[in-house]
């Protein structure tokens, strides 16, 4: 059945969801038992936030009730809304890497530890796609200064955080030079974390990701085919976020959240406006504009995938 009515008049059910992740990267999933709605589907442990409860309290309680564990620390991974035929759920999803006790099945649910690569073998609830993308993407998205030379960039690579996406944004470099530089960088930077922004065929040929400008999001008829890497798009508001989602992109970049040296008086989103847009985006969203690793905790709290930018990692602008 198609969903009826706008979200504002439909029931919104807020859920606290915990993704338990072990040191080897495996995550815990649970199969909804017979008798519950959506029986047989796999999900991340969690449940409804009760009246008067904070999301953190609900998360503690649900993990204790469903798994018998004591949560020790968690950080927000993604907030996402999904419309089912009868209700809209808001999955306030947290990454949990420290807990006490061994997870046990206390509600007749089957439990499984799975690598991210094998999660596709399980029939996960339809709302959970963006959670998988959030788990697969790093929390920092580095963008090159516009005029950095190939030599300078290669020299600086070892000092950059290795678990980060790196976008080669060199608007003044001709395609031939760009292609050569991309090839050079691909030899010393993991290609699955490399993002290019020229012809999608170049990304496809190297196995790298692709970044679309906000204008390109509206020019594209569909997600570029052939490219196996991550697809990210630049967004400034709800319309372009919806477009990135519609195209099946893996993540978006949204901002500016704070003034930047190059655009000191440009209008900014504050963190709460960012959080509201990200929760409705339906895909992981990086915060950009005057942010760096020191804002990571604030960005996570606002529901961001992480932080993106140039100056915090490369200096200047
Ligand atoms: N826990 C959890 N719920 C999810 C996920 N994805 C998703 O769509 N949901 C939806 O969110 C809702 C969670 O409610 P629940 O039934 O688990 O709530 P609960 O633990 O408080 O149990 P209850 O049925 O005893 O009240 C369900 O409608 C479920 O389909 C997920 O990954 N984890
Ligand atoms: Mg539950």
């Amino acid at each position: 059945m198609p969903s009826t009515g706008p979200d504002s008049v439909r029931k919104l059910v807020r859920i606290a969801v915990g993704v338990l992740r072990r040191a080897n990267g495996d995550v815990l999933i649970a199969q909804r038992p017979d008798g519950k709605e959506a029986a047989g589907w796999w999900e991340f442990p969690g449940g409804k936030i009760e009246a008067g409860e904070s999301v953190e309290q609900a998360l503690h309680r649900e993990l204790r009730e469903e798994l018998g564990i004591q949560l020790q620390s968690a950080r927000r991974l993604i907030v996402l809304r999904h419309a089912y035929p009868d209700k809209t759920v808001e999955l306030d999803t947290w990454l949990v890497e420290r807990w006490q006790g061994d997870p046990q099945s206390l509600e007749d649910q089957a439990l499984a530890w799975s690598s991210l690569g094998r999660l596709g073998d399980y029939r996960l609830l339809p709302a959970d796609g963006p959670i998988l993308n959030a788990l697969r993407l790093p929390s920092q998205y580095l963008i090159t200064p516009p005029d950095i030379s190939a030599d300078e960039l290669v020299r600086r690579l070892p000092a950059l955080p290795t678990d980060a996406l790196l976008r080669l944004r060199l608007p003044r470099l001709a395609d031939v030079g760009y292609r050569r530089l991309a090839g050079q960088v691909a030899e010393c930077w993991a290609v699955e974390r490399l993002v290019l922004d020229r012809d999608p065929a170049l990304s496809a040929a190297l196995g790298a990701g692709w970044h679309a400008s906000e204008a390109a999001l509206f020019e594209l008829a569909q997600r570029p085919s052939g490219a196996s890497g991550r697809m990210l798009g630049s967004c400034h508001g709800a319309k372009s976020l919806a477009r990135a989602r519609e195209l099946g992109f893996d993540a978006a970049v949204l901002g500016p959240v704070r003034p930047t040296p190059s655009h000191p008086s440009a209008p900014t989103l504050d963190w709460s406006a960012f959080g509201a847009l990200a929760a409705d985006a339906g895909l992981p969203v990086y915060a950009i504009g005057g942010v760096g690793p020191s804002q990571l905790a604030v960005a996570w709290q606002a529901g961001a995938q992480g932080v993106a930018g140039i100056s915090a990692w490369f200096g200047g602008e």
Side-chain angles (χ1 to χ4, degrees):
M1 263 220 339
S3 47
T4 49
D7 281 355
S8 54
V9 299
R10 303 178 73 218
K11 196 163 63 158
L12 179 72
V13 188
R14 296 180 61 228
I15 316 290
V17 176
V19 180
L20 267 66
R21 186 165 71 183
R22 281 176 168 165
N24 70 357
D26 287 357
V27 294
L28 185 70
I29 50 173
Q31 190 176 33
R32 294 177 69 85
D34 287 346
K36 268 207 165 187
E37 61 161 310
W41 290 78
W42 290 82
E43 66 175 8
F44 296 101
K48 299 177 193 75
I49 303 175
E50 289 173 1
E53 235 182 7
S54 69
V55 56
E56 289 94 335
Q57 287 168 335
L59 187 65
H60 271 88
R61 178 182 51 71
E62 288 288 342
L63 297 183
R64 192 178 61 239
E65 290 174 359
E66 294 187 359
L67 304 171
I69 59 161
Q70 181 62 37
L71 185 160
Q72 291 181 308
S73 74
R75 62 115 169 140
R76 192 174 255 138
L77 179 67
I78 187 170
V79 182
L80 71 109
R81 301 210 178 105
H82 180 89
Y84 285 110
D86 55 329
K87 61 175 178 279
T88 296
V89 291
E90 180 178 274
L91 305 178
D92 198 335
T93 310
W94 293 64
L95 184 63
V96 181
E97 295 183 303
R98 291 185 55 222
W99 63 87
Q100 231 165 20
D102 272 332
Q104 312 154 48
S105 164
L106 298 183
E107 296 190 342
D108 291 330
Q109 73 281 37
L111 297 177
W113 286 100
S114 170
S115 64
L116 294 188
R118 303 216 52 180
L119 272 180
D121 298 349
Y122 296 87
R123 195 170 60 125
L124 280 168
L125 282 169
D128 290 13
I131 300 178
L132 306 193
N133 277 334
L135 285 167
R136 289 179 182 135
L137 286 163
S139 50
Q140 299 180 59
Y141 185 14
L142 285 45
I143 302 168
T144 57
D147 294 307
I148 196 166
S149 70
D151 287 349
E152 168 79 354
L153 181 58
V154 167
R155 192 176 63 70
R156 295 184 68 159
L157 289 178
L160 299 175
T162 50
D163 180 26
L165 290 175
L166 175 66
R167 171 181 171 197
L168 304 185
R169 180 179 172 276
L170 299 149
R172 287 181 277 273
L173 189 60
D175 281 348
V176 179
Y178 187 92
R179 212 172 301 130
R180 190 181 321 120
L181 188 142
Q184 220 176 322
V185 172
E187 281 172 23
C188 37
W189 187 270
V191 79
E192 66 274 13
R193 288 196 300 280
L194 186 62
V195 180
L196 311 178
D197 59 16
R198 298 291 169 97
D199 186 345
L202 175 62
S203 293
L206 287 174
W210 188 66
H211 188 103
S213 67
E214 191 167 43
L217 289 175
F218 292 97
E219 286 155 13
L220 285 169
Q222 58 193 39
R223 181 184 159 113
S225 58
S228 55
R230 276 80 179 254
M231 297 272 158
L232 299 106
S234 290
C235 298
H236 292 98
K239 246 178 100 181
S240 39
L241 287 169
R243 185 69 192 139
R245 161 90 174 143
E246 204 173 80
L247 288 166
F249 272 46
D250 301 284
V253 175
L254 175 67
V257 289
R258 304 173 75 214
T260 62
S262 60
H263 302 88
S265 54
T268 56
L269 300 165
D270 57 19
W271 284 113
S272 79
F274 175 94
L277 286 165
D280 268 330
L283 78 179
V285 185
Y286 290 92
I288 195 166
V291 294
S294 58
Q295 275 82 40
L296 208 41
V298 182
W300 283 336
Q301 193 58 34
Q305 174 70 25
V307 290
I310 304 172
S311 18
W313 295 273
F314 289 96
E317 270 239 353

